[in-house]
Amino acid sequence: DPYCIVKVDNEVVARTATVWKNLNPFWGEEYTLHLPMGFHSLSFHVMDEDTIGHDDVIGKISLTKEAIGSQTKVLDSWMNLTRVDPNEEVQGEIHLTLQLLKHTEKIVLRCDVIEARDLAPRDISGTSDPFARVIYNSHSAETSIIKKTRFPHWGETLELDLDPQELSEEGTVIVEVWDWDMVGKNDFLGKVEIPSACLHQKTLLESWFRLLPLGNNEVDAGGKLGALRLKVRLVEDQILPSLYYQPLIDLLVESVISPAEVEDSSALTMLEEVTTVESRQDVAMTLVKIYLGQGLVVPFLDYLNTHEVNHTTDPNTLFRSNSLASKAMEQFMKAVGMLYLHEVLKPIISRIFDEKKYIELDPCKIDLNHTRRISFKGVVSEAEVRDSSVEMLQSYLTRIVESIVGSVEQCPPVMRVAFKQLHKRVEEQFAEPENEDVKYLAISGFFFLRFFAPAILTPKLFQLRDQHADTRTSRTLLLLAKALQSVGNLGLQLGHGKEQWMAPLHPIILRSVASVKDFLDKLIDVDHDMVSEMPQRAVFLPTVIVKEGYLQKHKAEGAQLLSRFASKKRYFWLTSETLSHAKTPDWQVRSSMPIHCVRAVERVDENAFQQQNVMQVITQDNDGQLQTMYIQCKNVNELNQWLSAIRKVSIYNERMLPSFHPGTHRGGKWTCCLQTERKVPGCSRTHSAVTLGDWSDPLDPDVETQTIYKQFLQGRDKLRSVLYSVSSVRSLQLENGAECKVDHVKAGQSLAIRLLTAIEDLEQAHATFQGRGEEDPTNVILNQ
């Protein structure tokens, strides 16, 4: 029953769904992680879920930052799982001070072992009993043992007396951390190796050192543990101050607010020329965010759609390719319409998952062994299975279509206006009577085929469900997605395909056509001005709920309370301005905290409440006092989603805390570092940079413009050749005396010069900023 855990430097950031009873699982899950620049490794642990007891570890794959970054494009391959050795599963850091005290007769190596943080839990309590050992050649000394903590404070000085002849620059000082066990051997927690040369260079060496494994003993099991197929891409960007991106932003804005008479010359059309098919989806999403931030997303989509419509001669091929226009519309619907999609589809999707009906129409795939739940009369016939399946599919499909066609008022106004503009352009281009349906098909192709049908097919990827569907439910969803595609095609393709066994659904599909057309007419019956004045900052408007749902709110005090009294179920809402909660979604009285008061959002150690998946939101009140709210999520994915969402809306807050306590203050001490003072600074660094990226990310114009700049930079030579060839060809046509073509060539050349100048200025700015980031070589050695 395998599932995968994704870790960044031993912090769990994602967990896939479990694929039950399968040794060849397919997950097909994708995660975007925003990581700190100093991260070291990305690892994938393949686990076997057990309903009783702890889950079993099957194997793991570890990738260093260097290994991922060395790939020119994308790391995409099958990799054999290796065994998990506890001595390799180390984590955390140790704070040390080292110096050499040279006397006439001897040399003393003094090591102040101050503290450690984020050590691996080795005991069943979720903590460890750590002690440190300093080793040089045959000399060693140990600290005292601190019981039940992953954040020990030693504050001890260890000294090793050395002979002058045994101190060489090739030697190494080793500091090991161990978990003491009363029975059996001690468990390894990590080590630091410091070359003697560093001690000769500096009189006093002080730093936080990352704990390293005992030694890389990973042995490729030759595929005996299985293999995992991964596709990993690392993008490391340097984001410049906003003013450097303004010339490129101006060119992109100019493309849509004052498009050229001859539409071939604009920054957008040139961008499409240099964009590869593989990167087009990312580019489209980035452009949608840029124009949302500028309040110009409707003119942007109108520009691309007009260009696409005017260059299409056969209405049957309209928006059927993966052009920039079709990808931009697809990403736009996800950016502004995901909450709307949830309102429409979630009830019926939940019903399908809960009922788990066996449904099959294809006679070649009907398995009578799966039909016992349908009837208690013994084995049923194929005809009975088919009739039952048709009845259930008709019920589900009717409910889906009714939900969609009844959702005109729920649809975001900006989506409706974009569709209205699209309808207008298609109607102008294909005005012939025989093309009457094209204006409907253009909208329904996006609305049904690229938005609702994919969400029905894979609800987890649209966050409609926490888990992928099982085999039975997945087949039901596939049949419904096929049927909805036919609805979106207005039934025009019915009877022409190979799947004639879908015929029993044809009548209901054809009956839906009239209501779908009526729905589309109402959808575009909208005043354009209702969104023209609206600041379109994607989903991060104050009035828009970024995330909501039931969570458990824990009491910070009262460690001995029974678990049912220690927490309360509350419904939480997160917007860009507040985090609020109430007893139920309909409860009138809400408790709220302003987002600008948030100082940290972090995980809580399992042993603090003896509970998993707990996070803490630390805020500062008007008197400057820190307050902590503890919240429990139902699984690690929900935990990471809430952590990410709150971190993103508070990303620009001032006075964020550099450290925090992963435990709670109970019984007169912190459960993490065992310190008694409640107001003592935190014992662990905050991790605000590790977040999950998704469709609800806040807009960051500088980051998005950097992505577009890189596309232009990669295609600069192609851009030059395309522009020069266009100019020379059209210069030959000037013999006819067409003055407008002369103007166009000049405009195109002028635009090319401005575009290339903007790109080269950004390239120069990056080179300048890069030169300022040189590190002290000694620090590199200490922190490697």
Side-chain angles (χ1 to χ4, degrees):
D1 304 315
Y3 65 91
C4 281
I5 289 175
V6 185
K7 292 184 177 182
V8 175
D9 291 343
N10 288 301
E11 180 177 355
V12 179
V13 294
R15 180 201 193 277
T16 69
T18 300
V19 180
W20 300 99
K21 298 181 181 178
N22 198 319
L23 293 176
N24 300 287
F26 174 79
W27 287 287
E29 298 194 25
E30 181 177 305
Y31 303 97
T32 299
L33 308 173
H34 300 296
L35 304 177
M37 291 296 288
F39 90 96
H40 298 94
S41 66
L42 181 68
S43 61
F44 304 83
H45 288 64
V46 183
M47 311 290 291
D48 168 34
E49 183 164 344
D50 291 331
T51 52
I52 300 175
H54 291 287
D55 296 346
D56 301 316
V57 181
I58 297 175
K60 73 163 187 175
I61 291 170
S62 289
L63 300 172
T64 63
K65 179 183 178 181
E66 292 71 27
I68 306 170
S70 64
Q71 303 293 317
T72 54
K73 288 187 178 180
V74 177
L75 187 155
D76 184 359
S77 64
W78 283 96
M79 305 181 76
N80 287 340
L81 296 173
T82 59
R83 291 182 176 86
V84 176
D85 181 353
N87 288 335
E88 299 302 310
E89 301 303 302
V90 303
Q91 64 186 65
E93 298 171 304
I94 187 168
H95 189 189
L96 303 172
T97 298
L98 294 102
Q99 63 182 137
L100 287 174
L101 303 175
K102 298 182 180 180
H103 303 290
T104 53
E105 299 180 358
K106 63 177 182 176
I107 295 176
V108 175
L109 172 62
R110 175 178 289 174
C111 178
D112 292 327
V113 184
I114 303 169
E115 58 184 321
R117 60 191 178 195
D118 297 313
L119 298 179
R122 289 285 188 252
D123 296 339
I124 196 168
S125 63
T127 61
S128 291
D129 303 320
F131 68 92
R133 178 185 297 152
V134 181
I135 304 170
Y136 187 84
N137 289 348
S138 58
H139 306 274
S140 67
E142 294 180 357
T143 67
S144 58
I145 299 165
I146 300 182
K147 298 288 188 69
K148 295 183 179 180
T149 181
R150 294 174 50 228
F151 302 84
H153 282 251
W154 289 287
E156 298 182 25
T157 299
L158 304 179
E159 293 186 347
L160 302 180
D161 294 334
L162 309 176
D163 294 327
Q165 61 268 24
E166 64 180 319
L167 189 66
S168 66
E169 293 201 359
E170 288 74 34
T172 302
V173 179
I174 300 173
V175 180
E176 298 177 343
V177 184
W178 293 82
D179 166 46
W180 176 82
D181 285 332
M182 182 179 293
V183 179
K185 66 177 184 177
N186 298 331
D187 299 312
F188 182 71
L189 292 174
K191 69 174 181 178
V192 176
E193 295 184 348
I194 302 161
S196 298
C198 291
L199 298 176
H200 288 291
Q201 291 172 11
K202 291 195 173 187
T203 55
L204 181 67
L205 197 61
E206 180 178 0
S207 182
W208 279 95
F209 295 87
R210 186 168 69 97
L211 292 169
L212 301 174
L214 192 59
N216 188 7
N217 298 321
E218 292 182 6
V219 178
D220 190 328
K224 293 180 181 178
L225 299 178
L228 184 66
R229 186 179 175 190
L230 299 171
K231 189 172 183 179
V232 184
R233 182 180 60 168
L234 177 65
V235 179
E236 203 165 345
D237 266 340
Q238 182 185 51
I239 309 302
L240 303 176
S242 300
L243 64 96
Y244 289 93
Y245 296 107
Q246 198 57 48
L248 186 52
I249 285 283
D250 291 341
L251 285 166
L252 292 172
V253 168
E254 185 182 295
S255 296
V256 301
I257 62 174
S258 56
E261 290 184 16
V262 183
E263 58 200 37
D264 286 344
S265 295
S266 78
L268 283 174
T269 51
M270 292 179 185
L271 179 61
E272 186 160 21
E273 287 283 350
V274 301
T275 303
T276 62
V277 176
E278 294 80 12
S279 64
R280 196 157 289 161
Q281 181 163 309
D282 289 340
V283 170
M285 186 71 242
T286 301
L287 287 172
V288 165
K289 287 191 169 188
I290 288 174
Y291 285 102
L292 276 166
Q294 296 291 327
L296 293 170
V297 71
V298 172
F300 159 66
L301 295 170
D302 187 38
Y303 177 84
L304 288 183
N305 290 337
T306 301
H307 186 271
E308 177 96 352
V309 169
N310 290 351
H311 285 76
T312 303
T313 54
D314 182 359
N316 294 317
T317 63
L318 186 61
F319 295 115
R320 296 296 180 180
S321 66
N322 287 322
S323 64
L324 191 58
S326 58
K327 284 294 180 185
M329 283 292 288
E330 193 175 310
Q331 296 305 314
F332 161 71
M333 289 188 295
K334 285 184 179 179
V336 304
M338 196 70 86
L339 297 172
Y340 159 61
L341 179 138
H342 279 215
E343 288 179 28
V344 174
L345 285 186
K346 201 158 192 175
I348 183 63
I349 293 294
S350 297
R351 176 187 158 193
I352 294 168
F353 269 76
D354 292 341
E355 292 181 350
K356 294 183 180 179
K357 299 286 187 181
Y358 176 72
I359 293 175
E360 185 55 76
L361 296 182
D362 186 350
C364 299
K365 294 185 177 180
I366 291 178
D367 184 353
L368 298 181
N369 292 326
H370 289 286
T371 62
R372 291 176 184 171
R373 292 184 183 179
I374 298 176
S375 172
F376 295 100
K377 301 175 182 177
V379 179
V380 297
S381 65
E382 286 191 14
E384 289 175 306
V385 173
R386 189 174 172 80
D387 291 343
S388 172
S389 298
V390 169
E391 182 181 348
M392 288 305 304
L393 286 172
Q394 286 177 337
S395 171
Y396 290 149
L397 185 60
T398 300
R399 182 73 184 87
I400 290 170
V401 173
E402 286 177 351
S403 295
I404 294 174
V405 300
S407 67
V408 172
E409 297 303 321
Q410 295 167 273
C411 186
V414 68
M415 272 182 73
R416 297 177 64 183
V417 172
F419 285 134
K420 180 179 181 177
Q421 291 293 99
L422 174 60
H423 179 275
K424 178 183 176 183
R425 301 305 179 194
V426 174
E427 193 172 38
E428 290 171 349
Q429 179 71 5
F430 301 102
E432 301 82 5
E434 63 269 22
N435 293 325
E436 172 65 24
D437 285 336
V438 177
K439 60 190 178 186
Y440 292 112
L441 289 167
I443 301 174
S444 65
F446 287 117
F447 204 71
F448 287 90
L449 276 62
R450 292 181 183 242
F451 193 45
F452 280 104
I456 291 170
L457 183 63
T458 51
K460 186 178 188 298
L461 300 187
F462 287 76
Q463 298 178 12
L464 287 164
R465 299 291 296 185
D466 292 331
Q467 305 281 333
H468 281 303
D470 57 29
T471 305
R472 174 178 293 191
T473 305
S474 182
R475 180 61 179 170
T476 301
L477 296 173
L478 174 62
L479 294 172
L480 286 170
K482 286 177 180 288
L484 193 64
Q485 284 181 327
S486 296
V487 171
N489 283 323
L490 306 181
L492 297 177
Q493 306 297 323
L494 293 181
H496 298 295
K498 297 178 181 178
E499 298 173 342
Q500 296 302 315
W501 40 265
M502 291 284 287
L505 294 180
H506 290 179
I508 192 171
I509 293 171
L510 292 171
R511 285 198 301 271
S512 301
V513 171
S515 61
V516 167
K517 284 186 176 181
D518 181 60
F519 163 71
L520 296 176
D521 284 333
K522 291 177 181 176
L523 195 70
I524 61 173
D525 184 15
V526 60
D527 186 359
H528 193 292
D529 293 334
M530 75 186 285
V531 295
S532 60
E533 301 300 322
M534 187 186 299
Q536 291 151 15
R537 297 294 295 176
V539 297
F540 267 58
L541 292 168
T543 55
V544 174
I545 296 171
V546 177
K547 191 164 181 63
E548 62 181 311
Y550 276 109
L551 298 169
Q552 294 286 336
K553 183 175 177 291
H554 275 261
K555 291 183 179 179
E557 301 294 339
Q560 306 305 318
L561 287 174
L562 293 173
S563 59
R564 69 191 186 99
F565 297 118
S567 65
K568 294 180 179 179
K569 188 177 182 181
R570 291 291 182 263
Y571 197 85
F572 280 78
W573 297 266
L574 174 67
T575 73
S576 61
E577 293 189 343
T578 61
L579 175 66
S580 55
H581 60 87
K583 287 186 177 181
T584 66
D586 303 322
W587 201 260
Q588 297 300 312
V589 181
R590 295 188 186 184
S591 299
S592 297
M593 65 171 65
I595 290 299
H596 67 81
C597 294
V598 172
R599 297 293 172 262
V601 190
E602 295 293 337
R603 301 163 186 264
V604 177
D605 259 5
E606 290 183 18
N607 68 311
F609 294 101
Q610 299 302 316
Q611 297 284 343
Q612 293 182 326
N613 308 316
V614 179
M615 67 177 179
Q616 55 182 309
V617 182
I618 304 172
T619 57
Q620 191 170 34
D621 60 24
N622 294 331
D623 298 326
Q625 299 298 312
L626 295 178
Q627 309 291 336
T628 305
M629 178 190 292
Y630 296 97
I631 304 169
Q632 184 178 14
C633 305
K634 61 185 177 182
N635 56 49
V636 70
N637 279 356
E638 185 179 66
L639 170 67
N640 284 313
Q641 287 163 9
W642 275 98
L643 280 172
S644 294
I646 302 174
R647 284 171 179 174
K648 286 169 189 173
V649 296
S650 59
I651 192 169
Y652 297 116
N653 283 7
E654 297 178 354
R655 302 191 302 279
M656 296 296 279
L657 295 177
S659 61
F660 76 106
H661 286 286
T664 58
H665 195 271
R666 287 180 173 171
K669 63 182 179 181
W670 286 99
T671 59
C672 45
C673 56
L674 309 182
Q675 296 190 84
T676 56
E677 179 58 44
R678 177 187 286 274
K679 295 182 179 180
V680 71
C683 55
S684 185
R685 285 183 300 178
T686 51
H687 302 84
S688 57
V690 183
T691 55
L692 291 169
D694 58 25
W695 54 270
S696 66
D697 280 354
L699 301 179
D700 190 335
D702 298 336
V703 173
E704 278 117 34
T705 314
Q706 169 71 14
T707 302
I708 300 302
Y709 152 70
K710 286 173 65 179
Q711 286 293 321
F712 276 124
L713 189 64
Q714 291 170 8
R716 180 165 50 181
D717 293 339
K718 183 178 178 182
L719 181 61
R720 283 172 174 159
S721 64
V722 168
L723 288 170
Y724 292 154
S725 65
V726 168
S727 297
S728 61
V729 168
R730 290 182 177 169
S731 296
L732 294 174
Q733 297 173 341
L734 297 181
E735 296 174 2
N736 298 329
E739 189 175 342
C740 65
K741 291 179 181 175
V742 175
D743 291 341
H744 174 64
V745 172
K746 289 180 180 177
Q749 289 174 330
S750 173
L751 178 64
I753 292 170
R754 291 172 61 201
L755 190 54
L756 289 168
T757 300
I759 294 166
E760 286 163 4
D761 286 348
L762 276 168
E763 187 177 27
Q764 182 61 43
H766 274 283
T768 302
F769 276 83
Q770 199 89 31
R772 300 178 186 173
E774 296 178 359
E775 292 188 78
D776 177 1
T778 307
N779 289 336
V780 175
I781 293 173
L782 294 180
N783 294 296
Q784 69 181 6

